[in-house]
Amino acid sequence: MPIRSNDLHGNVPDSSAGALLLVDVINDFEFEGGDELLKLAMPIGDRIAALKERARKLGVPTIYANDNFGRWRSDLHQIVSHCTDEGVRGKDFVEKVLPGDEDYFVLKPKHSGFYSTTLDLLLEHLGAQNLIIAGIAGNNCVLFTANDAYLRDFKLFVPADCCASQTEEDNQIALKQMQRVLKADITRSGELDLERLSRKN
């Protein structure tokens, strides 16, 4: 059996017991039903931005897990550039939640942030035990990502005011499902004790 190395060749990521995972927030909303989803998503943009800033000040890393929207040759910069072009439906939302130089980015081909991505390995090197998941859509990619995180024994936090789905009813059903089945804490973002979540057990 090969010896596992923790050497990242000098590119060691942050170390924190908590991580903030933003799902599909770099989003053009240019799809059927996207206009309805955007109306419900706009209010959560400011709350996600505030949560991310609080996390940054406490050294809690932020990871963007984003769909490639069928653009297999895309990277972070191309997706951000596309979503912030004039005339793109999601421009105003995306500008609220833009990634910074210190953030991590995982491009995902399917609903879950874990499926066929490097997210597992990144979280392992960060030492994360507590995963805060926010984003779009609550009853789709957030839910699928939370399911996979639960299977990996992460302690889950899904702030109820930082997820949006195509209807408020769908969102509430998904939140209750995550709370009941995945044991997720759905405390609103402003009430989350990020300092406690960032500390190793």
Side-chain angles (χ1 to χ4, degrees):
M1 182 179 227
I3 298 174
R4 191 166 190 174
S5 172
N6 288 320
D7 185 6
L8 297 183
H9 308 290
N11 297 308
V12 180
D14 301 300
S15 178
S16 174
L20 174 60
L21 184 61
L22 302 183
V23 178
D24 286 343
V25 297
I26 308 301
N27 200 316
D28 61 10
F29 293 87
E30 297 285 352
F31 47 81
E32 185 177 351
D35 51 348
E36 290 89 356
L37 178 56
L38 179 58
K39 287 174 189 172
L40 293 171
M42 283 301 289
I44 75 168
D46 291 325
R47 293 192 288 268
I48 288 175
L51 178 61
K52 183 185 170 207
E53 179 60 16
R54 284 178 57 214
R56 185 191 66 78
K57 288 178 177 177
L58 290 168
V60 174
T62 295
I63 305 165
Y64 288 73
N66 223 91
D67 200 281
N68 65 12
F69 300 111
R71 298 164 178 260
W72 286 90
R73 290 191 174 93
S74 292
D75 60 20
L76 163 65
H77 301 293
Q78 288 175 309
I79 291 174
V80 170
S81 177
H82 161 70
C83 290
T84 53
D85 278 346
E86 289 299 329
V88 172
R89 185 182 284 162
K91 178 178 184 292
D92 290 343
F93 175 84
V94 172
E95 287 180 342
K96 295 174 183 283
V97 293
L98 287 172
D101 292 339
E102 70 278 8
D103 298 325
Y104 300 96
F105 192 86
V106 172
L107 201 59
K108 64 185 182 67
K110 290 289 187 180
H111 307 79
S112 171
F114 288 91
Y115 181 79
S116 293
T117 76
T118 57
L119 183 56
D120 255 334
L121 187 61
L122 174 57
L123 290 170
E124 180 183 335
H125 280 292
L126 290 172
Q129 302 161 345
N130 304 309
L131 199 55
I132 307 158
I133 306 177
I136 301 163
N139 66 335
N140 195 328
C141 295
V142 171
L143 177 60
F144 276 81
T145 300
N147 281 331
D148 280 354
Y150 178 73
L151 292 176
R152 288 161 172 79
D153 294 324
F154 286 98
K155 173 70 175 166
L156 293 179
F157 299 83
V158 185
D161 61 334
C162 288
C163 293
S165 304
Q166 285 195 322
T167 70
E168 189 58 45
E169 181 183 13
D170 286 342
N171 205 55
Q172 289 303 315
I173 290 171
L175 286 166
K176 292 299 182 185
Q177 175 81 355
M178 288 184 275
Q179 182 183 45
R180 185 174 62 252
V181 178
L182 309 181
K183 311 298 185 288
D185 183 330
I186 61 169
T187 299
R188 293 174 67 86
S189 59
E191 299 168 16
L192 277 179
D193 187 348
L194 294 183
E195 188 169 4
R196 178 178 62 83
L197 299 185
S198 69
R199 292 196 296 263
K200 305 267 185 197
N201 290 336

